[in-house]
Amino acid sequence: MSDGKSYFFVGIGGSGMMPLAMILAGRGASVAGSDRTLDRGALPAKFADLAAKGVTLFPQDGSGVTSAAQIVVASAAVEASVADIVAAERVGAARMSRAELLASLFNQSVLPIGVAGTSGKSTVTGMIGWILHACGRDPTVMNGAVMKNFASADAPFASALVGGGAAFVSEVDESDGSIALYHPKIAVLNNVSLDHKSLEELRALFGAFAGKAETTVLNIADGETAALAATLDAATLVTFAVEQNADLSARDLRPEPFAIGFDLVAEGVKHPVRLSVPGQHNVSNALAALAAARAAGIPLGEAIGAIEGFTGLKRRFELVGEAHGVSVIDDFGHNPDKISATLATLHAFPGRLLVLFQPHGYGPLKVMRHELTAMFRGALGPDDVLVLPDPVYQGGTVAREVTSADIVAEIGTQAHHIADRAEAAAWIAAQARSGDRIVVMGARDDTLSQLAADMLPQIAPKIA
């Protein structure tokens, strides 16, 4: 997109903003931005990577917004009182939301492939992107997580891939309703469950999204998605499911601690598959990606060969390290479906779980309260331990109607509220003994990865 325009991103280090900035910079646009994390001196490697890609960085004090020719891009979470937004108003700079800009790039592409659903979007997006790349289709990929297959010493934060081919693969977000802006040719819907909005709102949003596509890939093992499928034109649908009949079905799952095998059944033919990522949820993700890749013209055999080389995403069941027989895992789980999938994957193998879950905001905590507490009560093993620090808070005004302490009180004696995150991590490390698995979970906070890494040296040898 070398259209001569100048873009300024407010919060450029965010998981949804950084890859979009990378795509624009890679296409030749002038890109600058600011971020509160940069101002605090945190995560310097991330901002060094942006600077290396030609992005100009400014303090978030309004100094980078100086011309009406700039297009100021901000997420819905950025308040009008932020200095860069005040400066944009003062100089008359045009405004765009992150979703509006991404949707415009997506809709202009020859083959827009949109990945939606409450859980699994980033992984499926990464899988599709990797299959298309490995099969020579040179896609552009917009992801909310770092894709390990594309990461390197020169590109440590590879949450975007800039390609010259027809395909533009992107996860699309329902949390702010912006999914309505996207017009996919291939739509993928993994599942429908509570996270940010009510089920009534989600059904309408996902239904409208799926109905626009020439091909819609749907997980009929998910009850809500199966119900939605029944309302759509059957001629446009490709279905997938684990351990039940569908156009693409997974049978005979063979789990390993950090991988999983299964048989893919399509049109009566069985194909053995082995993924380099674990868990039944990733089998479902792989079926979605394989179906989308086939809809994009990749022969199924080629797509299977490619997906077996998919190495995963950062912060998705990522083994950080081991100390004194204790494994530390970093995971993006933040809603009931995601968290329960990770816990189920871990419970397939022996060992106590010590879980640190940082809620990703007071608003989502209020929406998910009852489903979250019910999930933890059912998904924790009898010896497992759960610790909740206070939710993510990144400034501004927010209603704190439901807190971590409220959730802990409803879960019971296995759960503990330790408000300060560092103190919560230290407490968990002090409890750990050989054979335990520590899991750090949460979203909207890149520093959780460093928290997980910092726990390793705190783990002392103990006799079980």
Side-chain angles (χ1 to χ4, degrees):
M1 189 173 180
S2 53
D3 55 8
K5 294 181 180 178
S6 176
Y7 297 86
F8 188 94
F9 285 73
V10 183
I12 197 168
S15 61
M17 298 284 268
M18 184 172 179
L20 184 52
M22 288 177 169
I23 289 171
L24 286 170
R27 291 182 171 186
S30 173
V31 181
S34 66
D35 199 283
R36 283 183 288 206
T37 304
L38 173 66
D39 292 349
R40 293 197 304 266
L43 302 173
K46 170 186 283 192
F47 297 103
D49 189 45
L50 278 168
K53 290 177 170 58
V55 174
T56 305
L57 298 170
F58 291 88
Q60 199 169 90
D61 59 4
S63 61
V65 182
T66 58
S67 168
Q70 291 173 289
I71 298 171
V72 175
V73 184
S75 72
V78 175
E79 297 179 324
S81 58
V82 171
D84 290 334
I85 304 301
V86 173
E89 292 291 331
R90 184 176 64 250
V91 301
R95 293 277 307 281
M96 287 187 83
S97 71
R98 182 200 69 86
E100 288 169 341
L101 178 54
L102 173 57
S104 70
L105 299 178
F106 180 86
N107 295 337
Q108 290 165 19
S109 67
V110 176
L111 181 58
I113 302 174
V115 181
T118 312
S119 302
K121 292 188 292 292
S122 297
T123 297
V124 174
T125 299
M127 286 177 165
I128 296 170
W130 173 246
I131 293 170
L132 295 179
H133 173 83
C135 293
R137 300 303 175 90
D138 195 21
T140 294
V141 183
M142 164 76 192
N143 208 327
V146 174
M147 299 172 282
K148 292 183 182 179
N149 287 91
F150 301 119
S152 66
D154 294 332
F157 297 92
S159 53
L161 183 70
V162 182
F168 191 115
V169 187
S170 180
E171 57 175 300
V172 298
D173 189 12
E174 80 288 349
S175 67
D176 59 359
S178 63
I179 189 173
L181 301 173
Y182 298 84
H183 298 273
K185 287 190 176 177
I186 299 172
V188 179
L189 182 55
N190 295 330
N191 41 57
V192 180
S193 62
L194 284 173
D195 193 339
H196 297 85
K197 291 185 177 295
S198 71
L199 280 175
E200 289 74 18
E201 292 174 290
L202 293 174
R203 288 167 187 146
L205 288 168
F206 286 134
F209 171 76
K212 296 175 187 175
E214 295 175 5
T215 301
T216 302
V217 177
L218 291 150
N219 176 17
I220 59 169
D222 176 72
E224 285 285 343
T225 309
L228 178 61
T231 70
L232 299 170
D233 180 359
T236 67
L237 305 185
V238 178
T239 62
F240 68 92
V242 176
E243 298 290 8
Q244 69 182 67
N245 293 331
D247 295 324
L248 277 75
S249 179
R251 305 282 183 176
D252 188 23
L253 275 59
R254 301 176 288 276
E256 304 172 31
F258 289 93
I260 191 166
F262 65 96
D263 291 332
L264 169 62
V265 181
E267 296 166 350
V269 180
K270 184 185 293 185
H271 308 265
V273 183
R274 182 179 182 274
L275 303 176
S276 298
V277 290
Q280 178 174 321
H281 61 294
N282 275 319
V283 174
S284 182
N285 290 336
L287 294 177
L290 291 166
R294 190 167 68 162
I298 305 294
L300 185 58
E302 289 184 33
I304 290 170
I307 204 169
E308 292 187 329
F310 175 74
T311 54
L313 307 178
K314 299 287 285 183
R315 297 217 64 233
R316 269 56 173 188
F317 206 96
E318 182 178 12
L319 179 63
V320 177
E322 297 179 339
H324 305 294
V326 178
S327 301
V328 178
I329 294 164
D330 186 21
D331 190 74
F332 191 70
H334 60 279
N335 64 39
D337 281 357
K338 287 185 172 78
I339 295 169
S340 62
T342 295
L343 298 182
T345 300
L346 287 161
H347 279 141
F349 299 91
R352 184 175 65 148
L353 304 185
L354 306 179
V355 181
L356 188 153
F357 168 54
Q358 177 180 266
H360 61 296
Y362 288 93
L365 198 58
K366 179 183 176 182
V367 171
M368 298 185 297
R369 177 178 187 166
H370 301 299
E371 289 75 15
L372 193 64
T373 55
M375 179 277 299
F376 274 124
R377 284 198 299 264
L380 290 171
D383 297 323
D384 294 344
V385 177
L386 171 67
V387 177
L388 271 72
D390 286 343
V392 173
Y393 174 67
Q394 295 175 333
T397 56
V398 61
R400 304 187 182 195
E401 297 174 52
V402 178
T403 67
S404 292
D406 295 327
I407 302 299
V408 164
E410 293 174 7
I411 293 171
T413 56
Q414 285 180 273
H416 306 266
H417 172 230
I418 301 176
D420 181 78
R421 195 181 70 175
E423 291 179 10
W427 186 86
I428 280 189
Q431 311 303 311
R433 57 180 183 258
S434 182
D436 288 347
R437 283 83 50 83
I438 293 175
V439 193
V440 175
M441 295 179 131
R444 293 185 179 171
D445 187 347
D446 290 345
T447 64
L448 282 169
S449 295
Q450 189 59 53
L451 182 78
D454 290 344
M455 292 173 80
L456 283 165
Q458 300 180 57
I459 297 169
K462 291 185 179 69
I463 299 173

